[in-house]
Amino acid sequence: MIALIILLVFIAIVLLVILDLYMGKKYFSTHAFERTFDQTSGDAVFYHDGEPLFDQLLMDIQQASSSIHMMFFIVKNDKIGQRILHALKAKAEQGVSVFLLTDRLGSYPFDQKSIHMLEKSGIQFYFLNKPRFPFWIYRLNMRNHRKITVIDGKIGYIGGFNIGDEYIGKKGRFGIWKDYHLRMTGQVVADLQHVFLNDLYRGSGIHQLQYEVFPALEPGTLQCTTRATAGFSLESLFLQDIQQARQQIIICTPYFIPSAPLLKALLEARRRGVTIEIIIPMKADHPLVKEAGFHYLKDLIAAGCLVYRFYKGFYHSKAILIDHRRCIISTANFDKRSLFLNEEVDVAIEDAAFTAHVEKKIREHIEVSELMTYEKYKQRPLKMRPLEWIGVMFSYFL
C-alpha cells in the first residue's frame, strides 16, 4: 500500500512538471521577446582572450559620459568582477546612468550585501528571470543567457564571455579559457540597445522610453544583423544558416547537443559536398554535456564531418561561419537549452574579410585540438556509454 502511494505521488509530480513545462512554453510563445532586426551596418573588433577584452571594456567604462547598460548571464564577485564593479560604481557616483542586469540563477551567489553596495553608489541593479509562479519549473529553466554592454549608446559588446576570473584563465580547473566576443560601433549598436532595454523593462518594469539612449550613429563597413531569441526561433535561424551553405560550415561551441532537424540539416549539407568542421572542448564544465554530445557525433563523423576537441584549456566559444563570408558571433550554444529555453542574442556579419579574420583564429585553435576519428569514437570507454544515454534523456535541460 505504501509503495502504491509513493508511486502515485511520483506520477502526480511528473504530471505536474510536464503540465508546468507545457503551459509555460505555451504562455511564453506569445510573451517572449524575439526579434530579427533589419540588416544594418557597423564595425567590429574580434576578441578571443579575456584579458584584452576586459581591459578594453574597463577603458570604455572609464570614458563613459552618459550611460552604461550592462547585462551578463554570470557576474562573479572575484578579482575581475570587483574591477568591473568598482569601475561601474565610480561612474555612477560621477552621475553616469548605470544599469547592471544579471540572470538570477546564473549569478545566484551574488549576495544582498553586494547588491546594496552597488545600489548605494547609484547603480541600478536588477536580477532577470526570477523563478516564480505560475510556471515555476519552466521559469526555473528559462535563463537569460545574453551578454550585452552598451556604453553611451555608441559602443556595444556581445559574445560568449561572462565576468569572472575563470574567463581570463585564472582558474586552475580549466586553465586557458577560449571565448569569442565583439566590440561594436556604428548603427548596429542601436539594435543591441533595443535588446537591453527590452530586458530591462521585463526585469524591472522601467519603460524603455524613459531611459533610452539612441544617439546618431554613423554607418560602418560591415553588414550586420542582430537576432534576439528566447527558445522559439533560434532553431529555424540556425537551419537557415546551415541550409544556405554551399562550401563550408564551421561550428564552434562548448556544448554540441543539436535538435533532430539541425542534425539532419548538417548531414544533408555534408551530402551536397559542404565541408563541415565542429570545434568542441575536450574538458567538460557541466555534468553529462560531454557524454550527451558524443551521441550526436557518431553519424556526423561517419559522414565525413571533421570534429575537433580543443585540449589546451576550455573552449567556450560560440560562433558559426558559413562559406567564408558569413560570421555569426553568439551567446547561444549549439544545444537544446539555447535552442528551446534560453534567451540569447547573436550578430551575423556578412563580410568576407572579417570572416577570414575570425577563421584564422579558429584555425589556430584547431591546431591545439584533437581530430576525433571514427576509430577514436569507437574506442571511448565502455563506462561512458550509459552516461551518453542518460545525457540524451535529459539533453533538453543540459
Side-chain angles (χ1 to χ4, degrees):
M1 185 65 180
I2 294 176
L4 179 60
I5 292 173
I6 293 173
L7 178 61
L8 291 174
V9 169
F10 176 76
I11 292 172
I13 291 172
V14 171
L15 291 175
L16 285 172
V17 169
I18 293 172
L19 181 63
D20 181 292
L21 292 170
Y22 173 79
M23 296 301 295
K25 188 80 171 178
K26 186 174 181 180
Y27 172 82
F28 281 102
S29 67
T30 58
H31 289 77
F33 174 66
E34 294 197 306
R35 180 176 174 184
T36 296
F37 291 80
D38 293 337
Q39 188 178 75
T40 186
S41 67
D43 290 295
V45 177
F46 173 66
Y47 288 92
H48 50 84
D49 286 317
E51 289 206 58
L53 169 67
F54 288 121
D55 286 345
Q56 183 62 55
L57 177 59
L58 281 163
M59 188 181 304
D60 288 333
I61 289 172
Q62 290 162 0
Q63 295 175 356
S65 60
S66 60
S67 65
I68 302 170
H69 293 168
M70 183 175 287
M71 169 169 57
F72 281 91
F73 177 60
I74 295 172
V75 177
K76 294 195 173 180
N77 199 13
D78 51 20
K79 289 183 179 179
I80 188 63
Q82 282 296 311
R83 288 179 65 197
I84 298 289
L85 295 176
H86 282 309
L88 294 177
K89 286 166 61 179
K91 298 309 292 188
E93 289 166 355
Q94 293 171 17
V96 173
S97 175
V98 179
F99 284 86
L100 176 60
L101 314 180
T102 185
D103 183 81
R104 185 62 187 93
L105 294 191
S107 296
Y108 71 90
F110 219 76
D111 57 31
Q112 197 59 42
K113 181 180 178 182
S114 300
I115 295 170
H116 177 70
M117 290 178 62
L118 295 178
E119 294 176 336
K120 188 176 179 180
S121 70
I123 294 173
Q124 300 198 55
F125 177 91
Y126 296 96
F127 279 124
L128 299 173
N129 291 15
K130 295 179 182 179
R132 59 184 176 85
F133 293 98
F135 322 125
W136 188 84
I137 299 295
Y138 188 85
R139 292 177 191 269
L140 185 68
N141 281 281
M142 188 185 71
R143 308 317 325 146
N144 191 307
H145 200 238
R146 296 171 182 150
K147 298 101 177 170
I148 291 175
T149 300
V150 181
I151 297 174
D152 292 341
K154 298 177 181 179
I155 300 170
Y157 287 84
I158 178 263
F161 279 98
N162 289 295
I163 295 178
D165 288 349
E166 65 195 74
Y167 305 104
I168 56 173
K170 300 298 184 182
K171 291 287 186 180
R173 178 186 170 196
F174 299 115
I176 297 171
W177 187 282
K178 291 300 177 185
D179 229 321
Y180 300 155
H181 220 90
L182 298 176
R183 179 187 186 269
M184 310 203 74
T185 54
Q187 295 169 343
V188 66
V189 176
D191 297 339
L192 297 177
Q193 183 77 287
H194 274 293
V195 178
F196 177 92
L197 292 171
N198 189 284
D199 285 359
L200 171 64
Y201 172 69
R202 293 183 300 117
S204 68
I206 297 175
H207 196 279
Q208 64 179 29
L209 295 178
Q210 185 178 354
Y211 288 100
E212 63 185 355
V213 181
F214 292 108
L217 298 170
E218 295 295 325
T221 60
L222 306 173
Q223 298 304 304
C224 308
T225 303
T226 302
R227 312 185 303 187
T229 62
F232 298 95
S233 63
L234 184 59
E235 181 186 49
S236 64
L237 291 173
F238 279 178
L239 281 171
Q240 292 170 25
D241 296 327
I242 291 168
Q243 290 165 353
Q244 70 177 254
R246 294 295 176 266
Q247 303 170 6
Q248 171 214 46
I249 298 171
I250 299 177
I251 297 172
C252 309
T253 182
Y255 320 120
F256 186 79
I257 308 176
S259 64
L262 284 175
L263 185 62
K264 180 181 178 183
L266 288 171
L267 291 170
E268 288 175 349
R270 183 72 196 107
R271 282 194 289 270
R272 62 176 183 266
V274 176
T275 299
I276 298 176
E277 297 172 281
I278 301 167
I279 304 95
I280 57 177
M282 185 168 287
K283 296 181 180 180
D285 65 335
H286 293 298
L288 296 178
V289 291
K290 179 179 178 180
E291 290 80 5
F294 266 73
H295 172 81
Y296 298 95
L297 294 174
K298 177 182 177 182
D299 291 341
L300 292 170
I301 295 171
C305 299
L306 302 175
V307 177
Y308 300 97
R309 296 199 296 167
F310 181 86
Y311 57 76
K312 196 175 182 180
F314 186 69
Y315 194 75
H316 194 248
S317 308
K318 311 159 198 305
I320 299 176
L321 274 60
I322 305 292
D323 289 348
H324 307 285
R325 62 173 178 79
R326 180 175 174 83
C327 173
I328 301 160
I329 302 297
S330 183
T331 68
N333 304 306
F334 206 85
D335 68 359
K336 294 178 184 177
R337 169 164 285 281
S338 286
L339 292 170
F340 304 123
L341 288 169
N342 286 350
E343 294 176 312
E344 306 280 4
V345 64
D346 65 37
V347 174
I349 296 175
E350 300 281 351
D351 186 88
F354 185 84
T355 302
H357 173 63
V358 174
E359 183 174 347
K360 181 181 178 182
K361 182 52 59 178
I362 292 173
R363 295 291 167 203
E364 293 179 16
H365 295 159
I366 286 175
E367 289 178 6
V368 286
S369 301
E370 175 193 79
L371 177 64
M372 183 185 291
T373 63
Y374 196 70
E375 288 69 28
K376 288 181 180 178
Y377 176 85
K378 291 190 295 185
Q379 291 170 5
R380 68 198 189 284
L382 286 174
K383 64 180 181 180
M384 185 175 176
R385 302 183 189 191
L387 294 177
E388 291 176 21
W389 288 106
I390 295 172
V392 171
M393 287 174 59
F394 294 97
S395 60
Y396 189 83
F397 302 101
L398 295 180

